[in-house]
Amino acid sequence: MAEIVDLRSDTLTRPTEAMRRAMASADVGDDVYGEDPTVLALEERVADLFGHAAALFTPTGSMANVLAVRSVVAPGQEVLCESSAHIVRAELGAHAVTQGVTTRTWTHPRGHVDLEAVRSLHAPDMGPFFVPTAAVSVENTHNFAGGTVTPVADLQALRSWADEVGCKVHLDGARIWNAHVATGTELAAYGGIADVLAVCLSKGLGAPVGSLLVGSTEAIAEARVWRKRMGGGMRQVGILAAAGLHALDHHVERLAKDHDHARLLAEACGVDPAQVETNIVVVPRDDAASFVAAAAQEGVRVSAVGPRTVRLVTHLDVGPEAVRRAAAVLARL
Ligand SMILES: Cc1ncc(COP(=O)(O)O)c(C=O)c1O
């Protein structure tokens, strides 16, 4: 029987043999003491890539986002974001539950920043009973909008406005590598629009675990304390940081293949491939759950991200042959 093609998420990848070798031979120390050389090397490299002073290795993108948002939004303040942003839809309310952060949202069909909406929502000081706005959060690429890329010019316009009014900017860059490869925009250009950003190694880059928070020396020093407070102080974790360094060396440019595969699958599902910018395809279906079940019957795993929305995600563990097989099944369905 043909192997199952799993398109539910790009988090499903298993470390390659070469990545496992890099992990096995990693130099390690106790990272809570700041003595793991591989973690320090990863943090320095990622901070440099984004043009910031420092970075902090975290177990998950969700923790990196919570630490990042808390560094720019105090308890009782609000962050503005798009209504289907991961921070507001898919982190189980962590920002509210653990940090007392509230949210107001704008809606954009492709998950982009809407500067006009941001301007009208922005309320840093409206008197004694309104929640003060402290920051705007943007997600690039945008997961639930379908791996869409916000144009860097829009992000730069947001940055200019934020500087004028004294507002902070957080970037959820879980898949910023995909935006970089899809558009050729330098990672430092994305870094330059944000006070603080979160990036993931465990999505398209294929590391088994790991994300980083990137920002100023002060923000990262404070986040290091909060990471420990939240139970995220890890010890000889260079083993995992080595997977991240390997991914940065070998798995960034290849994301272009995932993007090509996503366009192929989009075509098979009747979605305009021109709408697919990176590795995520969103397929509207009358009954997402029954489509997911029918595809699973034929060995193709996809997920429902809404009652009428199916999502397919391409990644390192889905090669061209598997993509062709999945495309045939999905086209038939
Ligand atoms: C855009 C975005 N941000 C953050 C996260 C959180 O990452 P993690 O699952 O590592 O907590 C995800 C996870 O898929 C995501 O898609």
Side-chain angles (χ1 to χ4, degrees):
M1 194 179 139
E3 246 182 69
I4 287 171
V5 184
D6 202 335
L7 299 167
R8 288 172 302 160
S9 175
D10 51 7
T11 57
L12 293 161
T13 54
R14 279 149 302 184
T16 61
E17 279 309 317
M19 183 179 277
R20 286 171 194 263
R21 280 196 298 277
M23 295 169 76
S25 62
D27 204 2
V28 298
D30 189 327
D31 185 51
V32 171
Y33 286 82
E35 292 172 3
D36 189 304
T38 311
V39 173
L40 294 174
L42 175 68
E43 289 174 342
E44 195 179 324
R45 178 157 171 196
V46 172
D48 273 358
L49 282 175
F50 290 96
H52 280 264
L56 182 72
F57 191 50
T58 61
T60 64
S62 298
M63 186 185 278
N65 273 338
V66 168
L67 298 179
V69 170
R70 75 145 300 288
S71 76
V72 288
V73 185
Q77 295 184 333
E78 69 182 4
V79 59
L80 307 177
C81 66
E82 204 278 327
S83 59
S84 57
H86 200 275
I87 64 161
V88 73
R89 287 289 297 126
E91 291 173 14
L92 294 168
H95 302 261
V97 173
T98 71
Q99 304 299 329
V101 167
T102 67
T103 321
R104 278 185 304 142
T105 59
W106 73 88
T107 297
H108 188 287
R110 295 188 71 72
H112 293 181
V113 63
D114 176 343
L115 190 49
E116 273 321 297
V118 168
R119 276 184 214 273
S120 62
L121 288 167
H122 181 242
D125 183 11
M126 289 272 292
F129 49 82
F130 285 106
V131 177
T133 312
V136 176
S137 175
V138 288
E139 185 176 314
N140 199 24
T141 67
H142 195 294
N143 181 347
F144 296 125
T148 49
V149 181
T150 298
V152 71
D154 292 4
L155 297 173
Q156 284 160 344
L158 172 71
R159 175 77 267 166
S160 303
W161 167 84
D163 285 340
E164 264 167 44
V165 301
C167 185
K168 302 287 188 190
V169 177
H170 161 251
L171 170 61
D172 178 352
R175 296 184 180 79
I176 197 69
W177 325 99
N178 297 82
H180 159 65
V181 168
T183 62
T185 303
E186 290 300 324
L187 293 169
Y190 289 127
I193 67 93
D195 294 280
V196 65
L197 57 152
V199 301
C200 293
L201 304 165
S202 57
K203 312 280 181 305
L205 295 194
V209 175
S211 293
L212 292 108
L213 166 72
V214 185
S216 67
T217 310
E218 302 71 38
I220 297 304
E222 208 179 87
R224 192 175 292 280
V225 174
W226 271 92
R227 182 187 66 176
K228 184 77 177 82
R229 185 170 284 137
M230 292 173 72
M234 302 174 287
R235 302 294 179 170
Q236 287 70 24
V237 74
I239 285 183
L240 296 176
L245 286 166
H246 180 86
L248 290 175
D249 286 335
H250 301 284
H251 295 169
V252 176
E253 296 312 322
R254 66 151 304 286
L255 291 171
K257 291 186 195 161
D258 295 345
H259 301 172
D260 289 343
H261 289 161
R263 282 186 279 270
L264 246 157
L265 291 170
E267 214 164 358
C269 295
V271 170
D272 178 3
Q275 295 292 308
V276 176
E277 296 174 85
T278 60
N279 68 328
I280 302 179
V281 186
V282 168
V283 186
R285 300 292 307 178
D286 286 342
D287 180 354
S290 67
F291 184 82
V292 169
Q297 283 286 324
E298 303 213 28
V300 179
R301 302 183 84 176
V302 297
S303 50
V305 291
R308 276 184 276 282
T309 313
V310 173
R311 190 187 69 171
L312 329 176
V313 188
T314 54
H315 54 79
L316 188 60
D317 284 4
V318 182
E321 178 44 40
V323 168
R324 272 192 289 279
R325 199 145 35 83
V329 167
L330 296 171
R332 188 152 21 88
L333 292 176

